[in-house]
């Protein structure tokens, strides 16, 4: 167990490319699973995109039933409860490829398999699991998750919904209002969070959606995107729930909610990946077909630049998502080997990498927004029309930055959790931060380094970007101590540095691994994408580092740190960004789809 990397350790520990998992490492079984999911999407979802846009809620439900019949709703569910009990990476893979056609279906799928089913598999008693999980795994029943209220959004623990114990102590009566409830229109069971008396923390309950028990639904919400994902308010009025339907213990609800969201976050990152691949492929095809000035627009540098940038972001996000998924899977397997139950192992495994889950949620949800936005731009006027899939992709993408915790909350969480881990001694940040401070006082080396090996300079640069983060975060912790969380803008700047480091490093390591296996000459486009992503990441670290330093340092200290930042973000050989984009775009345009 000791040699398995802990969450957040990527910052202070050098990771070798052999030690990370990449999409090129998928097993035969995983590739077969991926292909069967793609077949389902291409047959059932993609050709019916217009039905999802026309708010055909019944059709979403019908597709969910079909997914259930194929076993796709039970991939993460243990075999004992009627599921396929696939490893964490395989469940990510299914979530990735099932989500690319329409946000309406992927929201229904994600809400059901994640926050609708998972709290019972991870926190339920044996009786609860036997009673509910098999029906949820097959799609006989659908699940929904009732956490958000009019007055409780990001502040999830502030809910007003009440649970009152009956005189005879056999049941609770739940009263309150929940909103933005995905799958509300067709679900059979709700996971409901309510407060008992004046408890500090909320409590979770499994509530069956049966008639005449005080449950009423609001009208379907009219939304910018995910139009045929059923989203309604749910009102509970003295809804009777037997005491044995409490989930975990009294006051444990906030913990359940937070841990369910950790899994939800990394799965949401996965759910944005195939949407990017399909968006890029659509944009490439259009660019090849659209003739202007007697030539396909794919020949214009301005369009090629966009396609290359879209592809590089997609490639890097995919690299980081599967790297983290395998880290989680390894941690789960190690715990099971030590005798932990599936429940406990999965909870602790995901919790260990909560930092990476937040990083990925932010990074990939913002990438799909940018990608679909550029997709519209490449299509020009046609992109703005409902006749092409770009505008719905853009609308569907917008919610990804809001649900499963807004990106602002997740930015602050990623840095906050990292600092907490450092305080607990799980990740040694202080030692490396002190070393960086000492290095700043010393004279830099002026030796000409040997960069003959592939990615030698890039890996050295990533090491320096980590130092830049440690310098800023270390000084901020020293300055503000426990009050750091009051300085949200500083936390946000540090988070952006952290995010870029993890994603850029993942892209470099994935490509290095592939190049060692297949020869660098055969992966020149992947090398270009990794280098292009790192170039932008370095700019962001520079910009956010400067903003952070200026916010808390003055005079000599500020000058010293800004000098350090310049040193840590400096290339010896600045890459030719235009040439990199040309290499990437050439291949995309020739293949006529996203081909990496």
């Amino acid at each position: 167990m000791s040699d398995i990397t802990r969450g957040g350790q990527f910052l202070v520990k050098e990771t070798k490319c052999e030690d990370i998992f990449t999409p090129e490492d998928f097993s035969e079984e995983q590739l077969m699973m991926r292909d069967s999911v793609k077949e389902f999407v291409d047959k059932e979802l993609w050709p019916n995109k217009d039905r999802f846009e026309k708010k055909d809620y019944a059709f979403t439900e019908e597709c969910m039933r079909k997914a259930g019949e194929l076993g796709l709703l039970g991939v993460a569910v243990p075999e004992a409860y009627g599921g396929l009990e696939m490893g964490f990476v395989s469940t990510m893979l299914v979530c990735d490829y099932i989500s690319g056609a329409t946000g309406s279906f992927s929201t229904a799928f994600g809400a059901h398999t994640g926050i609708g089913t998972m709290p019972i598999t991870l926190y339920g008693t044996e009786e609860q699991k036997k009673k509910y999980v098999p029906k949820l795994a097959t799609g006989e029943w659908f699940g929904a998750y009732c956490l958000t209220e009019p007055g409780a959004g990001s502040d999830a623990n502030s809910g007003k919904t009440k649970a009152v114990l009956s005189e005879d102590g056999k049941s609770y009566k739940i009263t309150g209002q929940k909103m933005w409830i995905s799958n509300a229109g067709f679900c059979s069971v709700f996971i409901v969070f309510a407060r008992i008396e004046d408890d500090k923390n909320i409590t979770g309950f499994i509530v069956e959606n049966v008639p005449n028990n005080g449950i009423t639904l609001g009208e379907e919400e009219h939304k910018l995107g995910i139009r045929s994902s059923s989203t309604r308010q749910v009102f509970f009025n003295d809804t009777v729930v037997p005491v044995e339907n409490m989930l975990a213990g009294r006051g444990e609800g906030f913990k359940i909610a937070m841990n369910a969201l950790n899994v939800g976050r990394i799965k949401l990152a996965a759910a944005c990946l195939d949407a990017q691949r399909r968006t890029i492929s659509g944009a490439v095809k259009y660019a090849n077909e659209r003739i202007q000035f007697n030539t396909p627009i794919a020949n214009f540098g301005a369009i090629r630049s966009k396609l290359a940038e879209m592809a590089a972001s997609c490639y890097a996000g995919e690299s980081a998502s599967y790297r983290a998924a395998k880290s989680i899977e390894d941690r789960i397997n190690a715990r099971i080997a030590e005798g932990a139950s599936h429940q406990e192992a999965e909870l602790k495994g995901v919790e260990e990498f909560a930092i990476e889950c937040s990083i990925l949620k932010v990074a990939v949800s913002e990438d799909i927004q940018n990608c679909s936005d550029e997709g519209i731009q490449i299509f020009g006027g046609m992109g703005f029309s409902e006749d092409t899939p770009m505008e719905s992709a853009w609308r569907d993408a917008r919610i990804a930055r809001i649900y499963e915790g807004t990106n602002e909350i997740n930015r602050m969480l990623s840095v906050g959790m990292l600092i907490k881990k450092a305080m607990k001694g799980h990740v040694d940040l202080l030692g490396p931060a002190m070393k960086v401070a000492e290095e700043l006082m010393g004279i830099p080396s002026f030796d000409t380094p040997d960069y003959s090996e592939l990615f030698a300079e890039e890996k050295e640069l990533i090491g320096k970007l980590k130092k830049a983060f440690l310098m800023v975060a270390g000084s901020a912790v020293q300055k503000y101590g426990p009050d750091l969380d009051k300085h949200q803008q500083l936390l946000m700047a540090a988070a952006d540095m952290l995010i870029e480091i993890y994603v850029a490093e993942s892209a470099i390591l994935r490509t290095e691994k592939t190049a060692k296996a297949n020869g660098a000459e055969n992966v020149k486009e992947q090398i270009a994408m990794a280098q292009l992503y790192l170039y932008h990441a370095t700019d962001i670290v520079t910009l956010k580092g400067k903003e952070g330093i200026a916010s808390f340092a003055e005079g000599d200290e500020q000058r010293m740190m800004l000098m350090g930042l310049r040193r840590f973000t400096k290339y010896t050989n600045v890459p030719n960004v235009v040439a990199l984009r040309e290499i990437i775009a050439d291949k995309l345009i020739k293949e006529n789809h996203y081909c990496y």
Side-chain angles (χ1 to χ4, degrees), residues 284 286-290 295-301 303-304 307 589:
V284 171
Y286 186 80
N288 274 330
E289 288 160 13
R290 174 72 170 160
T295 183
I297 63 169
N299 290 335
F300 296 126
I303 301 293
R304 296 165 77 85
L307 292 172
I589 289 160

Side-chain angles (χ1 to χ4, degrees), residues 197-209:
E197 294 171 349
D198 292 321
D199 287 1
K200 179 175 176 252
N201 290 327
I202 49 181
T203 298
F205 294 90
I206 304 168
V207 181
E208 291 183 33
N209 187 10

